[in-house]
């Protein structure tokens, strides 16, 4: 494979990776926007405003949250608390309209999901099963941030006694190849892409990166 095709392949892999990061960030922003919107509705409810239509639209827009693990434990508690506050503003008994009854039933379904018990405007947050909260998908933002921190730490260690970024890349590739260090592999890919964007010749480093990637991949498969 020519150096040009190797670089295009690497560029495609890194761009795909970065796009996944962007999509993940956008998903989190959408969740935060939904939680903040619910907070606005709860404030309207406290002021005595009619919120049946607003909360109905909110349920329709975010119904997928009940089937997808998009909320952290803290966000679940916050959502449940706000819904319970909103419920307290609805009429009950014979004075309750069909539309309000539907909203109340939906609130109860959500608060049960969130693990919140409402009683006299006091809230008890119930922690769900450990495997449900810490199943690897509950806090992807912080986990990815921690991963980036580890990659940054490796860069700091390798660059401490280096005088050029090429030396850091060489050391990072050696760590990825010999120690089968995945964070060093990712760091190497970052540096190669950076160098490529700044006009450096990186063909030889791309080959070393591919070799290290193959070795690490084989090890992961054998350990699976």
């Amino acid at each position: 494979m020519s150096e040009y095709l190797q670089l295009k392949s690497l560029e495609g892999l890194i761009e795909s990776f970065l796009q996944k990061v962007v999509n993940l960030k956008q998903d989190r922003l959408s969740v935060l926007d939904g939680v903040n919107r619910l907070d606005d509705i709860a404030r309207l409810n406290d002021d005595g405003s009619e919120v049946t239509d607003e909360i109905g639209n909110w349920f329709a827009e975010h119904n997928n949250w009940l089937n997808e693990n998009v909320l952290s434990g803290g966000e679940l508690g916050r959502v449940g608390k706000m819904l319970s506050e909103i419920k307290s503003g609805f009429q009950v008994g014979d004075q309750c309209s069909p539309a309000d009854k539907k909203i109340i039933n939906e609130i109860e379904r959500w608060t049960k999901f969130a693990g919140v018990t409402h009683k006299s405007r006091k809230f008890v947050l119930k922690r769900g099963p450990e495997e449900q909260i810490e199943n690897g998908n509950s806090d992807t933002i912080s986990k990815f941030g921690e991963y980036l921190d580890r990659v940054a730490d490796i860069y700091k260690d390798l660059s401490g006694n280096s005088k050029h970024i090429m030396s850091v890349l060489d050391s990072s590739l050696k760590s990825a190849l010999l120690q089968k260090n995945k964070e060093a592999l990712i760091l190497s890919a970052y540096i190669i892409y950076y160098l490529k964007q700044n006009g450096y010749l990186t063909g030889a480093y791309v080959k070393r990166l591919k070799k290290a990637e193959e070795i690490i991949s084989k090890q992961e498969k054998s350990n699976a």
Side-chain angles (χ1 to χ4, degrees):
M1 182 184 293
S2 67
E3 179 181 344
Y4 173 76
L5 293 177
Q6 288 175 341
L7 291 176
K8 292 297 292 182
S9 176
L10 176 63
E11 182 178 4
L13 289 172
I14 295 178
E15 287 179 351
S16 176
F17 170 75
L18 293 176
Q19 186 59 51
K20 290 179 180 178
V21 174
V22 171
N23 291 340
L24 180 62
K25 187 68 173 178
Q26 289 176 338
D27 290 342
R28 289 302 304 162
L29 289 175
S30 177
V31 169
L32 292 175
D33 181 68
V35 174
N36 289 335
R37 175 56 186 152
L38 184 61
D39 185 50
D40 291 338
I41 296 173
R43 294 176 186 276
L44 288 173
N45 184 69
D46 288 341
D47 293 337
S49 302
E50 175 62 48
V51 298
T52 300
D53 291 341
E54 285 80 0
I55 190 61
N57 291 333
W58 188 91
F59 282 136
E61 293 174 8
H62 302 95
N63 188 58
N64 63 304
W65 286 7
L66 294 179
N67 301 317
E68 300 175 6
N69 192 15
V70 299
L71 297 173
S72 67
E75 288 167 341
L76 278 173
R78 184 182 174 195
V79 166
K81 180 177 179 180
M82 289 186 291
L83 287 174
S84 294
E85 290 175 343
I86 292 171
K87 179 185 174 183
S88 68
F90 281 82
Q91 296 287 342
V92 295
D94 295 337
Q95 296 179 336
C96 185
S97 67
D100 286 354
K101 286 182 180 178
K102 185 176 181 181
I103 293 298
I104 291 173
N105 290 335
E106 190 69 5
I107 288 176
E108 290 175 348
R109 185 167 75 100
W110 274 72
T111 52
K112 182 179 180 181
F113 172 78
V116 177
T117 300
H118 174 64
K119 184 178 181 181
S120 301
R121 297 187 66 81
K122 293 182 180 180
F123 308 99
V124 178
L125 306 186
K126 295 183 177 180
R127 182 183 177 94
E130 194 74 15
E131 62 272 14
Q132 178 181 349
I133 295 175
E134 297 179 0
N135 63 355
N137 296 317
S138 59
D139 196 3
T140 52
I141 290 294
S142 65
K143 288 182 179 179
F144 182 71
E146 291 170 359
Y147 190 83
L148 288 180
D149 288 340
R150 294 198 298 272
V151 173
D153 288 340
I154 293 176
Y155 175 77
K156 290 178 182 178
D157 291 339
L158 297 179
S159 62
N161 297 319
S162 300
K163 295 183 178 181
H164 196 281
I165 189 66
M166 288 291 194
S167 299
V168 179
L169 175 57
D170 181 68
S171 299
S172 180
L173 284 169
K174 287 179 180 178
S175 179
L177 182 62
L178 300 178
Q179 301 176 8
K180 300 178 180 61
N181 187 320
K182 198 168 185 178
E183 284 83 3
L185 181 73
I186 297 298
L187 174 61
S188 301
Y190 285 161
I191 296 176
I192 290 173
Y193 189 68
Y194 168 80
L195 291 173
K196 174 182 175 295
Q197 294 299 315
N198 286 276
Y200 287 85
L201 297 178
T202 58
Y205 294 105
V206 172
K207 292 180 180 179
R208 293 172 61 185
L209 180 73
K210 291 278 188 180
K211 184 177 180 180
E213 183 180 20
E214 290 174 0
I215 291 175
I216 292 176
S217 179
K218 289 179 180 178
Q219 182 189 48
E220 290 181 341
K221 289 180 179 178
S222 63
N223 293 336

